C-alpha cells in the first residue's frame, strides 16, 4: 500500500466514477482500476461496488475512505509545515467559513488577527458547515465558522451567537409593501428558495426545519447552490428566501423583513480540533469578545458572546 493508491482510491470514492476520477488524476482508466484492485487484494476486502451507477462504497470502503482522508491530510500538513520551516516562511493559519459570515464579523476578525499576529499567513477557505468538520480533522483548516451543530467528539463547537433571520422578498410584491417584522406564518404557501443544494445536511435543512416547527409549509421549494444565486432569484421574482440578518447588505434590489419570531435564528459556530492548544485559538476567542463589545452595525441585538455553549467535545 502506498500514498498513490490512497490518492487513487479517494478520487474514485469522491467522484463515484472511475472515468471522472481518471480525468481528475490525469491518468488512463485501466491503470487506475488496476491499482485499486491491487489495494483491495492487499487488504483482502472489497472497497467498491462497481456494478452500481454511480460507484458505491462498501462498509469497509467507507471506513477506509475516512482513514485515507486523514492520512493524506496529515501528509499534506507535514509537507507544508516542513517547507515553511525550511524556507523560513510565516506560519500558515487556515480559516474555513460559510459565505454568510463574510457579511458579519469575519472580515473584521481577520483584520484584527493580522494586526495582532503579523507573523501569520492567514488563509481563508470557503467551506459549507458540513465540510468543515472533516477539513479540521484532516488538518486542512485550523478553525471553522459554520452554522450547523455537530456531534463529532474530535471537534469542539462553540456557539458564538444566535443570529436573527430575515425574509428576502421580491420588490413590488405584497410582502414588500411593509418593512415591519414579518410573522413567520406570512411565509406559508410562498415559493421558497433555499441554499445550499448540496451537500446535506445544510443551512437549507435548518431553515426548512424551523419553518416546519412553526407549521409553515411552502408552496414549493427551489434548491440552489449558494446564497448569491438564491438572492438573484428573489430579485427576479422567483420566490422568497430566508437568510441571516447580516447578509442583508448583499443586494439592494430585494426587500428585507426581519422574521418576527425570536426563535427564528441561525447559530454562528466556532469549530476547532479537540486538544488544539494553539495560542491563536485563544487569540481568536479574545478578539471575538472585543469585536462583539464594540457593537458593530451587523450585530443584531440577540447574541451570545464567548464563553458560549460548547459541544462535540
Amino acid at each position: 500500500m502506498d500514498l498513490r493508491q490512497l490518492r487513487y482510491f479517494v478520487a474514485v470514492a469522491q467522484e463515484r466514477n472511475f472515468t471522472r476520477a481518471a480525468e481528475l488524476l490525469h491518468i488512463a482508466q485501466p491503470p487506475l482500476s488496476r491499482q485499486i484492485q491491487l489495494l483491495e487484494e492487499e487488504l483482502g476486502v472489497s472497497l467498491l461496488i462497481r456494478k452500481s451507477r454511480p460507484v458505491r462504497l462498501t462498509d469497509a470502503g467507507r471506513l477506509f475512505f475516512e482513514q485515507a482522508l486523514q492520512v493524506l491530510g496529515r501528509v499534506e500538513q507535514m509537507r507544508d509545515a516542513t517547507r515553511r520551516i525550511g524556507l523560513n516562511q510565516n506560519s500558515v493559519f487556515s480559516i474555513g467559513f460559510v459565505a454568510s459570515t463574510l457579511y458579519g464579523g469575519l472580515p473584521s476578525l481577520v483584520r484584527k488577527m493580522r494586526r495582532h499576529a503579523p507573523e501569520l499567513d492567514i488563509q481563508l477557505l470557503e467551506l459549507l458547515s458540513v465540510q468543515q468538520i472533516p477539513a479540521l480533522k484532516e488538518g486542512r483548516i485550523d478553525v471553522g465558522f459554520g452554522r450547523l451543530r455537530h456531534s463529532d467528539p474530535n471537534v469542539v463547537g462553540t456557539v458564538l451567537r444566535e443570529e436573527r433571520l430575515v425574509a428576502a422578498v421580491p420588490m413590488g410584491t405584497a410582502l414588500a409593501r411593509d418593512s415591519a417584522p414579518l410573522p413567520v406564518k406570512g411565509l406559508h404557501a410562498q415559493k421558497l428558495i433555499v441554499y445550499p443544494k448540496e451537500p446535506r445536511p445544510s443551512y437549507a435543512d435548518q431553515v426548512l426545519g424551523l419553518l416546519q416547527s412553526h407549521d409553515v409549509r411552502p408552496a414549493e421549494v427551489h434548491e440552489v447552490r449558494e446564497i448569491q444565486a438564491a438572492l438573484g432569484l428573489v430579485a427576479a421574482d422567483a420566490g422568497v428566501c430566508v437568510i441571516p440578518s447580516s447578509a442583508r447588505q448583499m443586494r439592494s434590489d430585494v426587500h428585507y423583513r426581519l422574521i418576527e419570531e425570536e426563535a427564528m435564528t441561525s447559530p454562528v459556530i466556532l469549530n476547532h480540533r479537540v486538544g488544539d492548544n494553539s495560542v491563536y485559538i485563544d487569540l481568536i476567542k479574545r478578539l471575538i469578545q472585543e469585536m462583539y463589545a464594540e457593537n458593530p452595525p451587523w450585530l443584531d441585538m440577540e447574541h451570545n458572546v464567548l464563553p458560549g455553549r460548547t459541544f462535540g467535545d
Side-chain angles (χ1 to χ4, degrees):
M1 186 188 306
D2 57 36
L3 291 177
R4 179 185 59 172
Q5 289 176 323
L6 293 185
R7 292 190 179 97
Y8 285 5
F9 171 73
V10 165
V12 174
Q14 290 176 331
E15 295 297 322
R16 302 299 176 93
N17 183 284
F18 276 88
T19 301
R20 289 199 301 271
E23 292 172 352
L24 183 68
L25 294 165
H26 304 293
I27 63 172
Q29 184 174 331
L32 171 62
S33 300
R34 178 58 180 160
Q35 287 300 318
I36 292 181
Q37 184 180 3
L38 290 173
L39 181 61
E40 290 177 317
E41 289 174 0
E42 180 178 348
L43 292 169
V45 297
S46 295
L47 300 174
L48 300 167
I49 302 174
R50 292 167 170 79
K51 294 182 180 180
S52 67
R53 293 293 182 272
V55 172
R56 288 167 45 215
L57 297 174
T58 63
D59 290 341
R62 282 192 289 272
L63 174 63
F64 192 79
F65 175 59
E66 293 177 2
Q67 297 295 321
L69 283 176
Q70 293 184 35
V71 170
L72 292 174
R74 180 58 180 155
V75 169
E76 187 78 13
Q77 189 179 30
M78 288 168 56
R79 184 183 67 182
D80 291 345
T82 303
R83 283 177 176 172
R84 288 197 301 271
I85 292 173
L87 297 173
N88 196 27
Q89 295 177 335
N90 287 358
S91 298
V92 175
F93 192 86
S94 297
I95 299 175
F97 67 95
V98 293
S100 60
T101 57
L102 283 177
Y103 304 94
L106 183 59
S108 177
L109 175 63
V110 172
R111 288 194 298 271
K112 288 176 179 290
M113 283 193 68
R114 287 187 168 133
R115 288 197 300 269
H116 285 79
E119 72 279 7
L120 280 186
D121 178 9
I122 300 174
Q123 297 182 350
L124 298 172
L125 181 62
E126 184 179 355
L127 291 170
L128 299 176
S129 297
V130 73
Q131 296 172 325
Q132 292 181 19
I133 306 306
L136 280 165
K137 294 196 294 184
E138 294 158 21
R140 291 189 286 119
I141 60 174
D142 297 289
V143 298
F145 291 92
R147 290 191 177 274
L148 294 182
R149 292 173 174 84
H150 63 83
S151 58
D152 195 299
N154 299 304
V155 177
V156 178
T158 302
V159 178
L160 302 178
R161 66 191 182 101
E162 293 285 348
E163 185 170 4
R164 295 287 295 274
L165 299 179
V166 302
V169 302
M171 295 287 197
T173 60
L175 290 179
R177 293 173 188 161
D178 195 346
S179 294
L182 175 69
V184 67
K185 293 290 187 182
L187 297 174
H188 186 75
Q190 295 287 331
K191 293 180 180 179
L192 182 68
I193 302 163
V194 298
Y195 66 90
K197 186 174 184 179
E198 56 185 2
R200 308 295 275 271
S202 69
Y203 174 75
D205 301 294
Q206 191 177 89
V207 168
L208 292 171
L210 285 170
L211 293 179
Q212 185 177 22
S213 70
H214 287 83
D215 200 27
V216 173
R217 305 184 189 282
E220 61 182 78
V221 177
H222 184 182
E223 299 177 345
V224 297
R225 292 190 179 277
E226 57 186 10
I227 186 173
Q228 292 88 347
L231 290 178
L233 289 177
V234 173
D237 200 8
V240 302
C241 183
V242 176
I243 66 171
S245 60
S246 61
R248 282 177 288 188
Q249 57 187 296
M250 288 185 65
R251 294 186 71 112
S252 59
D253 55 353
V254 299
H255 187 70
Y256 301 101
R257 293 181 64 179
L258 182 71
I259 297 178
E260 190 172 73
E261 287 74 6
E262 292 188 1
M264 291 291 291
T265 63
S266 175
V268 177
I269 299 170
L270 169 66
N271 292 306
H272 63 83
R273 287 180 291 273
V274 167
D276 189 339
N277 298 316
S278 167
V279 295
Y280 300 118
I281 302 293
D282 290 334
L283 174 63
I284 281 180
K285 293 179 178 180
R286 178 168 62 82
L287 293 178
I288 289 173
Q289 286 180 314
E290 292 178 3
M291 186 172 64
Y292 283 3
E294 295 167 359
N295 196 26
W298 49 264
L299 185 61
D300 55 56
M301 296 301 293
E302 301 292 330
H303 64 272
N304 296 307
V305 180
L306 281 168
R309 300 187 303 279
T310 60
F311 53 89
D313 59 342

